[in-house]
């Protein structure tokens, strides 16, 4: 069973996040439920001269700019208590007030899919996602996703953008995700991600002998030819991965990685870039590399491991309501545990 710990005295001072950065602000306050939304935001001089629809889209980035413009026109979004047009230019220090009934934000349907819930209260759900589960519906994956399961488990999540999701992990990566149950929590978690105060630790197995820990600081962007892949390329988004060696085998290394940024496929791209691709990765290491002289058990285990050997093992955050520091841990899934056991017996280091 994964563990939850609050107010951990060992919680690191320097935290790392996984996601693409999002915007929020320090002076955001709200008294919302998942159905009726009541938000206030006090502007400062940094917004001087900007259009109100642009400002609102920055502050409340979980809603589209078009939706916010609609609320401006309908009088749900007020400036100093007054209705204004979307092109209104901010003068500085205005008070924005948003009062609106939320409507369904997703067309996905609820499905009775079991969830491994590590922790849940009135504000957040922490889930240990299994291998093979897609997080969000998309092309070719309209059902069977984490979102479908969340909508069944907590129907009010339909009223939140992305059903309360604030980050994702790949289909074939296992491990921890936090989901918001109301907009207050979603804003708070998004702000923590933007400020890099969410702590994420991954366990992974790579090909080759990694000598020591280090940092990979290389930009990542979409591959110019193979659009399924990401790649280290000039002009990409900043991406920083810190890592430590946890266990050495003859031809493999077990690594623990922390992410200072959260780009798509970041760990997989960075370790492939430095020459240590992940075992089982079908995109960045499409060929299984069986060491010469491998035992039958090792050969079968490597060929049978058909997903990237990557697990989101630890998640640290501040509770959006109480501010308590919380640390969650999830054990390795069975396939990863078996892989490590086989490497320990069949590929021991000299």
């Amino acid at each position: 069973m994964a563990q939850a710990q609050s107010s951990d005295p060992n919680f690191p001072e320097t935290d790392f996040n996984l996601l693409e950065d999002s915007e929020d602000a320090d002076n955001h306050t709200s008294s919302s439920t998942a159905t009726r939304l009541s938000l206030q935001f006090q502007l400062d001089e940094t917004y001087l001269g900007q259009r109100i629809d642009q400002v609102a889209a920055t502050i409340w980035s979980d809603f589209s700019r078009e939706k916010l413009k609609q609320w401006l026109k309908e009088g749900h979004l007020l400036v100093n208590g007054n209705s204004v047009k979307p092109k209104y230019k901010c003068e500085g220090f205005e008070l924005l007030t948003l009062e609106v009934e939320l409507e369904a934000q997703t067309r996905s349907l609820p499905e009775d899919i079991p969830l491994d819930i590590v922790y849940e209260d009135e504000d957040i759900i922490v889930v240990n996602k299994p291998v093979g589960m897609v997080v969000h519906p998309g092309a070719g994956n309209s059902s069977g996703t984490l979102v479908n399961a969340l909508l069944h488990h907590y129907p009010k999540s339909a009223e939140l953008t992305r059903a309360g999701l604030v980050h994702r992990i790949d289909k074939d990566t296992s491990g921890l995700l936090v989901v918001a149950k109301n907009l207050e929590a979603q804003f708070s978690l998004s702000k923590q991600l933007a400020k890099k105060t969410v702590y994420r630790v991954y366990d992974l197995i790579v090909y080759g002998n990694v000598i020591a820990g280090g940092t990979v600081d290389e930009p990542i962007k979409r591959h110019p030819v193979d659009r399924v892949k990401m790649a280290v390329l000039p002009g990409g988004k900043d991406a920083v991965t810190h890592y430590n060696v946890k266990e050495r085998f003859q031809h493999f290394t077990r690594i623990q990685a922390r992410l200072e940024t959260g780009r798509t496929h970041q760990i997989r791209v960075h370790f492939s870039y430095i020459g240590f691709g992940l075992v089982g990765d079908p995109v960045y290491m499409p060929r299984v590399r069986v060491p010469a002289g491998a035992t039958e058990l090792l050969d079968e285990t490597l060929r049978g491991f058909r997903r990237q050997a990557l697990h989101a093992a630890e998640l640290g955050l501040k509770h959006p309501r109480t501010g308590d520091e919380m640390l969650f841990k999830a054990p390795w899934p069975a396939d990863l545990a078996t892989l490590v056991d086989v490497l320990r017996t069949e590929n021991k280091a000299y």
Side-chain angles (χ1 to χ4, degrees), residues 272-301:
S272 177
Y273 175 76
I274 64 174
F276 299 101
L278 273 65
V279 171
D281 193 330
V283 176
Y284 300 97
M285 291 293 296
R287 288 188 176 183
V288 179
R289 291 164 48 185
V290 179
T295 65
E296 183 177 351
L297 177 56
L298 179 57
D299 186 303
E300 291 178 352
T301 301

Side-chain angles (χ1 to χ4, degrees), residues 34-59:
T35 301
R36 178 150 190 95
L37 181 65
S38 179
L39 299 174
Q40 287 190 334
F41 187 92
Q42 181 66 58
L43 298 186
D44 58 33
E45 67 276 3
T46 62
Y47 298 98
L48 178 65
Q50 297 183 41
R51 284 176 54 124
I52 188 61
D53 57 344
Q54 295 173 328
V55 171
T58 299
I59 295 167

Side-chain angles (χ1 to χ4, degrees), residues 92-271:
F93 302 100
E94 290 99 329
L95 177 66
L96 307 189
T97 305
L98 178 60
E99 301 271 355
V100 68
E101 287 281 341
L102 292 179
E103 58 191 42
Q105 299 290 311
T106 178
R107 296 181 181 178
S108 300
L109 299 175
E111 296 180 34
D112 188 2
I113 302 170
L115 289 172
D116 181 2
I117 296 177
V118 175
Y119 175 85
E120 181 175 11
D121 60 22
E122 61 184 319
D123 298 298
I124 62 173
I125 307 171
V126 178
V127 176
N128 183 16
K129 188 191 79 67
V131 175
M133 175 180 273
V134 174
V135 171
H136 195 278
N141 295 295
S142 61
S143 64
T145 72
L146 179 59
V147 164
N148 297 113
L150 289 168
L151 291 170
H152 180 271
H153 176 75
Y154 184 65
K156 280 186 174 293
S157 62
E159 297 166 351
L160 299 173
T161 305
R162 300 178 299 280
L165 290 173
V166 293
H167 62 108
R168 310 180 189 190
I169 55 179
D170 296 334
K171 172 185 175 182
D172 289 327
T173 298
S174 54
L176 295 169
L177 285 161
V178 63
V179 183
K181 294 179 69 174
N182 52 61
L183 200 61
E184 176 79 2
Q186 195 169 34
F187 281 138
S188 173
L189 293 170
S190 294
K191 180 168 68 175
Q192 291 181 53
L193 289 162
K195 292 188 171 184
K196 300 180 174 63
T197 58
V198 174
Y199 176 74
R200 295 295 301 255
V201 171
Y202 278 78
D203 290 331
L204 55 146
I205 310 295
V206 300
Y207 288 104
N209 300 121
V210 182
I211 302 303
T215 296
V216 184
D217 184 353
E218 297 289 346
I220 293 175
K221 65 188 298 186
R222 184 71 59 181
H223 194 285
V225 177
D226 188 343
R227 306 302 288 175
V228 174
K229 291 184 176 183
M230 306 298 288
V232 169
L233 290 169
K237 293 183 178 180
D238 291 343
V240 181
T241 304
H242 306 276
Y243 64 93
N244 290 299
V245 173
K246 304 303 290 184
E247 190 171 3
R248 292 184 176 89
F249 308 102
Q250 188 175 344
H251 300 97
F252 305 88
T253 309
R254 181 166 69 87
I255 300 290
Q256 192 171 78
R258 298 179 297 169
L259 290 94
E260 186 173 325
T261 56
R263 309 308 179 197
T264 301
H265 296 180
Q266 180 171 319
I267 288 176
R268 299 162 68 186
V269 171
H270 271 172
F271 278 89

